[in-house]
Amino acid sequence: MIIEKISLHNFGPFYGDHEIKFNIAEKGVHIIRGGNGQGKTSLQRAILWSLYGKVLDRSGQPIRPTSLLNLNAFEDDIYEFWVTIFFKHNNEDWSVFRKMSSKIHSDSKYQENMILNVIKDGQIIAGSDSQHEIERLLPYHVSRFYFFDGEMLRDYEALLEQDQDSTKLLKDSIEYVLGVPYLKIAKEDLSFIEKQFEKERNKLIKKMGSSNLQEVAENLQSVMADIEDKEKLITVLKEQKDRLRTEILAKKRELADLSEVRDLAQSRLNLEMEIKDLDARKSQILAKMQIKVSGLYKTLLIPPAQNVISKLEIKSNDVLEAYNKRQELKNIVSRIEKDIAEQKCSLCGAILDQEKVINLEKELKEAYTKLELIGEVPEPPMDLVFYKKRLQGMISEAVQREDFVEINKDLSDIDYKIAVLSNKLTDIENKLSGIDSEMPKKLEIEIQDAVRELGRIDGLEEAAKEDLTELIKTKGEWERIMASIPQKELDELNKKIYCTSSLVQVFDDAISKYRDERRSDIEKTASEIFRQIRSKDEFDHLKINDRYGLSIITEKGKSLDRGEWRSSGEEQLVALALIGALNKCAQIKAPVFMDTPFGRFDTKHGEKVLKFLPKLADQVVLLVTDREFRKGDEAVLEENIRDDFTIKYLGENEGSVIKKTS
Amino acid sequence: MTNIFGDVRTLSASDKAKTCMKQLVVRGFFKEQVDVWRLGASLGILTGNVEKGEKRETFQNINSLDPESIFAAIMIGLHPELEPEDRLKLLVDHAEWGIREIFKQSEIGTLDFSKLGLPTNNNKNKI
């Protein structure tokens, strides 16, 4: 099967008519890009819904038809949606058209009015056969290996736990891929024929009327009825167990998601602590900065202060000089006046004669003149001196600008670290929003209850099987008695019963042998793929046990327990190797759709897986986000890219659209 | 000692300047509003810029803002010819401009104390 075109109408986020046409002239990889919530998973679901009329969400629950209708269509009161897939299979052109419509928005009404049209090479396939034809091309049970969701790889990784119960459904699906059920169906058909012969024989015995035979036949019939009842009981118990296992698996998956939540919560706590420490460090630096800043004004005032100091110096010096000169003259006047009055020199003590007195009077006059010239001189400007000293002191106390360079650097470093951590914190908080913290505990209790119930049903099944073994033994005894009674017609039936019974045994052995061979094929192919994408060279190959449990074998032949190499990226590699092998070994050829398959890979492993993809199937469709399929990844796929589309959600009014990537 | 600023004992500030000072303290650049005022006034004096006109109301006592009489010394040294009241008004005008400038730089993320008041390539003459 190679998908050529998909047409959608009002399906999921796709409002109105949309179409995606693949270039299938050559084998290769088709890329469909889109961020989260743009419509990639919905596109994959549209294909599955078109093929099977049902589609599951990520918790394994069916999505209701009312949830499949586009919201805008619903608001427009248009209650119809459809999907058509056009594909080629064995050189024949096929189309599958599925439509749901109703007058009211109701799940049951949509279901009632579902239309399925399957056309093969222009011939319409009759209604009841159409679903059967699809199942023949790609059985629903195996579709999970062709349309898989990277988010669901955990289911496959569960195989690595070697837990034989929890993955039974997955193992059954694997057997479907390998074709084991065809042999099982043949065996069941033969068992049915054997029972028919036995019933015929009983009727014959009754007809023959012999009392001996009658008694043996009645006993045989009674035992056979008991066997049938027991077989029915065992089937019912098995179904109950399957349901419980599915429930347990879903709950374990949910719990695993929540354990990631616990890890995230711890990371959030650590980040919050780191940010708190950085905030405290920042506060210390800010406090240091504030102290420096409080003195920075003095630094800024240095240039004007230097200017003022020099101005003040000039001004105060001028005033002081005049003051000192006047004071000196005043002293001279005072001395001369005293000498003249006392007629005695105050300097040498000599008595002054008339001539000397005249000279002194002359000197006094000159001093008066000079004093007059100087005029009034104010007191020395002590406040100017005070301010000058203040400013000089200020300059010596000023903060160094260079101190702020280091503070700025420290603050920038801390701000950067806080921003990085805050971004991480926001991511985690987004992931954690709306999660119930009590949920893990509730789930653990529910899982324990379900496991207990499973144990109880196991006990009932064991008891029923023991009873069945006893009944089969009793039946065998009655058959031996029956065989000892010679009757020709009866002999014929006995021979037929013997033949069919032998054939049942042959098919039983064949199933076991076929299963072993196919498992060996898968093991070889998975190992081959694993070597191409493995994370470590010392991991040599994969080993698959009889219940499809997986282990890694090292170069030295050691079988590694999952706990010894646990890493989500490596687990995903092993799961991908298994899926690749199942695709290659399957009897069915179909395209492989991979939705967000690289979520947990680093760049190196992402590249390895990308290189391997073109070998996985004739048509591989990658539904990827820009985070997992980055710029340059196209080069890794080399010449194998056939198409490159982008799904974009344009908003509430227009919904999602599919366009060629520009 | 001469009374450089006359009889006025308090300094005033506009509502805008008060808001800027408050914000700068909240953002952690400064410990107290008086630190913003002093740095703003010194930036205005250094660059010769003033902001006039807006209505102003009492902000702080002069002694609290200029306990070491540094602004008094600077203002008397730079403007001995002015009347004390005019000298005080000029100091307030410088502070108004400087406070707004610091706030503006913090808003656009260019506030760098190591370079505050130094000439820049873009604005050599202004700051």
Side-chain angles (χ1 to χ4, degrees):
Chain A
M1 182 198 280
I2 298 285
I3 296 182
E4 202 170 2
K5 193 167 85 176
I6 305 157
S7 297
L8 309 106
H9 179 79
N10 291 343
F11 189 94
F14 301 100
Y15 179 40
D17 291 318
H18 295 267
E19 188 178 280
I20 184 161
K21 196 171 178 189
F22 296 113
N23 170 15
I24 58 163
E26 285 179 87
K27 297 173 185 178
V29 179
H30 309 265
I31 295 162
I32 301 177
R33 302 168 195 258
N36 294 329
Q38 306 291 304
K40 299 187 304 298
T41 306
S42 294
L43 180 67
Q44 178 153 309
R45 283 178 181 157
I47 303 167
L48 287 166
W49 178 79
S50 169
L51 292 172
Y52 307 107
K54 58 185 171 185
V55 64
L56 305 180
D57 64 16
R58 280 175 172 159
S59 63
Q61 298 302 310
I63 300 176
R64 293 155 47 176
T66 43
S67 301
L68 295 175
L69 178 72
N70 177 267
L71 276 178
N72 290 335
F74 171 71
E75 279 168 13
D76 294 346
D77 295 327
I78 300 167
Y79 305 133
E80 63 174 18
F81 56 97
W82 68 74
V83 178
T84 313
I85 306 172
F86 300 87
F87 58 91
K88 284 194 183 296
H89 183 69
N90 292 340
N91 291 323
E92 291 165 333
D93 288 317
W94 290 70
S95 70
V96 173
F97 167 80
R98 192 180 295 269
K99 176 180 172 183
M100 276 187 176
S101 60
S102 172
K103 285 182 182 166
I104 55 165
H105 191 55
S106 143
D107 289 328
S108 56
K109 293 288 172 196
Y110 281 127
Q111 210 69 50
E112 279 172 25
N113 298 324
M114 187 173 72
I115 295 170
L116 172 65
N117 283 332
V118 179
I119 301 173
K120 176 185 169 187
D121 258 355
Q123 299 289 313
I124 297 173
I125 294 171
S128 57
D129 290 339
S130 50
Q131 191 62 57
H132 177 74
E133 279 296 314
I134 295 169
E135 282 285 335
R136 198 178 58 78
L137 293 175
L138 184 62
Y140 177 70
H141 281 90
V142 305
S143 62
R144 64 187 305 163
F145 297 109
Y146 294 88
F147 295 88
F148 79 87
D149 182 348
E151 297 288 322
M152 304 292 281
L153 275 174
R154 197 176 290 116
D155 286 3
Y156 300 85
E157 289 157 15
L159 289 170
L160 304 166
E161 291 289 6
Q162 312 278 326
D163 176 349
Q164 297 181 356
D165 282 337
S166 63
T167 52
K168 185 182 178 303
L169 284 182
L170 182 59
K171 287 165 184 169
D172 286 348
S173 297
I174 295 173
E175 297 226 316
Y176 264 98
V177 175
L178 301 179
V180 175
Y182 298 122
L183 293 174
K184 278 185 175 171
I185 289 165
K187 182 192 142 189
E188 280 163 16
D189 286 351
L190 283 165
S191 297
F192 178 75
I193 293 167
E194 186 188 352
K195 278 184 183 136
Q196 292 300 109
F197 285 144
E198 283 171 346
K199 279 180 187 168
E200 223 175 287
R201 183 177 63 184
N202 290 343
K203 275 184 198 164
L204 181 69
I205 291 168
K206 274 184 186 171
K207 218 163 114 187
M208 287 161 72
S210 156
S211 60
N212 279 352
L213 276 173
Q214 187 78 23
E215 193 189 339
V216 173
E218 274 170 12
N219 284 330
L220 198 53
Q221 202 164 5
S222 159
V223 163
M224 280 165 62
D226 288 348
I227 287 174
E228 210 166 315
D229 287 347
K230 284 291 169 205
E231 283 175 342
K232 275 182 192 162
L233 176 65
I234 289 168
T235 308
V236 169
L237 290 173
K238 275 186 175 163
E239 282 168 4
Q240 284 179 4
K241 277 169 68 180
D242 284 349
R243 272 198 298 277
L244 270 174
R245 280 169 184 148
T246 311
E247 266 177 43
I248 292 170
L249 188 62
K251 286 188 196 304
K252 278 187 175 174
R253 190 188 300 137
E254 211 176 325
L255 193 61
D257 285 340
L258 289 174
S259 75
E260 280 175 24
V261 167
R262 271 202 293 267
D263 292 347
L264 284 172
Q266 186 58 47
S267 305
R268 177 174 64 183
L269 205 64
N270 295 343
L271 283 171
E272 282 170 348
M273 289 295 287
E274 277 184 68
I275 291 172
K276 200 175 161 192
D277 288 348
L278 286 168
D279 277 337
R281 173 91 189 100
K282 188 178 173 180
S283 297
Q284 285 173 355
I285 297 174
L286 279 175
K288 189 176 152 189
M289 187 186 81
Q290 286 170 351
I291 292 168
K292 297 263 179 199
V293 167
S294 70
L296 184 63
Y297 76 101
K298 293 179 179 174
T299 311
L300 264 68
L301 288 175
I302 289 175
Q306 282 167 337
N307 179 20
V308 167
I309 287 168
S310 56
K311 274 187 185 174
L312 290 178
E313 256 172 10
I314 293 165
K315 192 174 178 184
S316 61
N317 286 348
D318 288 351
V319 173
L320 207 59
E321 201 180 325
Y323 180 81
N324 288 342
K325 192 148 192 184
R326 186 180 167 81
Q327 277 306 110
E328 198 183 323
L329 283 168
K330 274 172 92 176
N331 288 341
I332 290 169
V333 166
S334 170
R335 181 179 55 83
I336 294 171
E337 281 174 345
K338 190 183 167 197
D339 286 357
I340 291 170
E342 291 176 1
Q343 298 286 307
K344 190 180 171 184
C345 176
S346 56
L347 296 173
C348 61
I351 301 297
L352 302 174
D353 56 19
Q354 193 58 35
E355 190 185 346
K356 283 181 180 170
V357 170
I358 290 166
N359 284 341
L360 281 176
E361 282 172 349
K362 203 177 168 184
E363 272 183 49
L364 185 63
K365 202 176 173 184
E366 281 171 10
Y368 278 141
T369 311
K370 282 180 184 171
L371 266 176
E372 211 168 307
L373 281 173
I374 291 169
E376 279 302 314
V377 174
E379 285 291 308
M382 293 315 291
D383 50 352
L384 294 190
V385 175
F386 166 79
Y387 289 131
K388 191 180 84 179
K389 282 186 178 166
R390 280 280 153 170
L391 294 178
Q392 283 167 334
M394 181 205 83
I395 291 171
S396 66
E397 290 166 3
V399 177
Q400 298 297 311
R401 283 180 181 272
E402 292 72 28
D403 293 350
F404 290 101
V405 175
E406 199 181 329
I407 289 173
N408 285 347
K409 189 179 167 296
D410 290 348
L411 281 176
S412 299
D413 287 351
I414 287 182
D415 281 342
Y416 174 75
K417 284 178 190 164
I418 290 176
V420 170
L421 295 177
S422 298
N423 281 342
K424 286 184 186 170
L425 192 61
T426 308
D427 279 352
I428 289 176
E429 276 169 352
N430 286 340
K431 287 179 189 167
L432 288 175
S433 63
I435 290 171
D436 178 3
S437 59
E438 289 298 309
M439 206 56 190
K441 206 173 170 185
K442 283 183 204 162
L443 279 170
E444 273 168 15
I445 292 169
E446 284 172 14
I447 290 170
Q448 280 170 10
D449 289 348
V451 168
R452 260 199 298 278
E453 179 62 8
L454 193 63
R456 190 186 70 82
I457 297 173
D458 257 340
L460 291 175
E461 191 191 4
E462 277 306 307
K465 279 180 178 170
E466 278 173 22
D467 290 350
L468 184 64
T469 313
E470 281 303 310
L471 286 167
I472 289 168
K473 214 189 277 178
T474 311
K475 183 187 160 204
E477 282 164 14
W478 283 117
E479 277 179 337
R480 271 196 297 282
I481 296 167
M482 174 77 74
S484 64
I485 303 168
Q487 293 288 337
K488 197 185 166 193
E489 257 183 289
L490 211 53
D491 284 349
E492 281 297 313
L493 276 171
N494 279 335
K495 273 180 197 164
K496 283 180 184 173
I497 290 167
Y498 174 75
C499 284
T500 46
S501 168
S502 303
L503 276 171
V504 167
Q505 190 56 49
V506 166
F507 271 86
D508 226 8
D509 295 344
I511 288 169
S512 173
K513 201 169 175 193
Y514 179 79
R515 188 187 271 137
D516 287 347
E517 282 177 10
R518 303 301 290 153
R519 201 175 50 240
S520 166
D521 289 346
I522 290 193
E523 190 174 286
K524 273 184 206 156
T525 316
S527 293
E528 201 177 300
I529 297 169
F530 180 63
R531 278 187 213 103
Q532 292 176 44
I533 59 174
R534 68 187 161 185
S535 54
K536 290 175 183 162
D537 286 344
E538 61 262 33
F539 290 173
D540 190 62
H541 66 274
L542 294 178
K543 189 164 175 58
I544 301 177
N545 67 21
D546 57 352
R547 304 299 294 265
Y548 302 102
L550 287 164
S551 8
I552 291 179
I553 308 297
T554 64
E555 271 182 328
K556 291 181 181 170
K558 190 186 170 197
S559 174
L560 286 184
D561 173 61
R562 191 185 185 191
E564 294 175 78
W565 52 273
R566 186 182 274 273
S567 134
S568 60
E570 283 164 3
E571 285 169 0
Q572 209 170 7
L573 287 179
V574 174
L576 269 176
L578 176 68
I579 290 167
L582 288 167
N583 274 294
K584 278 189 174 286
C585 297
Q587 305 295 317
I588 302 147
K589 295 293 167 206
V592 173
F593 274 67
M594 302 173 94
D595 185 8
T596 53
F598 306 121
R600 280 183 269 158
F601 292 140
D602 56 24
T603 315
K604 186 179 151 197
H605 290 101
E607 267 188 27
K608 283 187 173 187
V609 174
L610 266 181
K611 273 186 186 165
F612 161 73
L613 283 183
K615 299 175 208 162
L616 185 63
D618 289 351
Q619 186 180 32
V620 176
V621 181
L622 278 182
L623 298 142
V624 284
T625 63
D626 52 358
R627 199 174 148 205
E628 55 180 341
F629 192 81
R630 280 167 280 215
K631 209 174 175 186
D633 281 348
E634 294 88 348
V636 180
L637 286 169
E638 293 168 345
E639 301 300 313
N640 292 298
I641 299 178
R642 298 290 160 260
D643 289 301
D644 195 339
F645 297 100
T646 298
I647 300 183
K648 198 165 173 56
Y649 180 71
L650 299 178
E652 275 183 34
N653 292 335
E654 292 168 88
S656 293
V657 293
I658 308 164
K659 286 183 174 169
K660 286 265 182 194
T661 303
S662 49
Chain B
M1 206 179 300
T2 315
N3 197 345
I4 290 169
F5 296 128
D7 296 331
V8 184
R9 302 313 317 150
T10 54
L11 280 165
S12 57
S14 66
D15 282 348
K16 171 129 194 228
K18 285 178 185 174
T19 308
C20 293
M21 286 191 278
K22 204 182 275 180
Q23 282 292 315
L24 286 162
V25 170
V26 169
R27 289 175 193 180
F29 293 111
F30 297 86
K31 193 176 178 193
E32 293 176 290
Q33 291 186 33
V34 289
D35 293 330
V36 190
W37 190 92
R38 285 185 199 123
L39 194 63
S42 61
L43 183 62
I45 293 168
L46 175 67
T47 59
N49 288 300
V50 289
E51 177 70 40
K52 293 182 176 181
E54 209 168 315
K55 191 186 165 195
R56 285 144 196 194
E57 280 171 13
T58 307
F59 171 56
Q60 280 271 354
N61 189 293
I62 290 178
N63 290 336
S64 307
L65 288 166
D66 191 21
E68 297 173 56
S69 299
I70 286 170
F71 286 104
I74 292 281
M75 291 307 283
I76 188 68
L78 292 175
H79 306 287
E81 76 289 357
L82 291 179
E83 290 298 319
E85 287 73 19
D86 292 338
R87 203 177 284 133
L88 183 70
K89 190 178 169 302
L90 181 60
L91 175 62
V92 171
D93 289 346
H94 282 314
E96 284 282 329
W97 182 86
I99 290 163
R100 287 164 203 230
E101 179 61 24
I102 294 168
F103 182 74
K104 190 175 88 188
Q105 292 186 16
S106 87
E107 281 279 277
I108 57 176
T110 56
L111 181 58
D112 180 353
F113 292 122
S114 71
K115 293 174 183 163
L116 189 70
L118 296 179
T120 63
N121 288 337
N122 297 333
N123 205 358
K124 268 188 180 163
N125 298 324
K126 199 174 178 186
I127 301 179

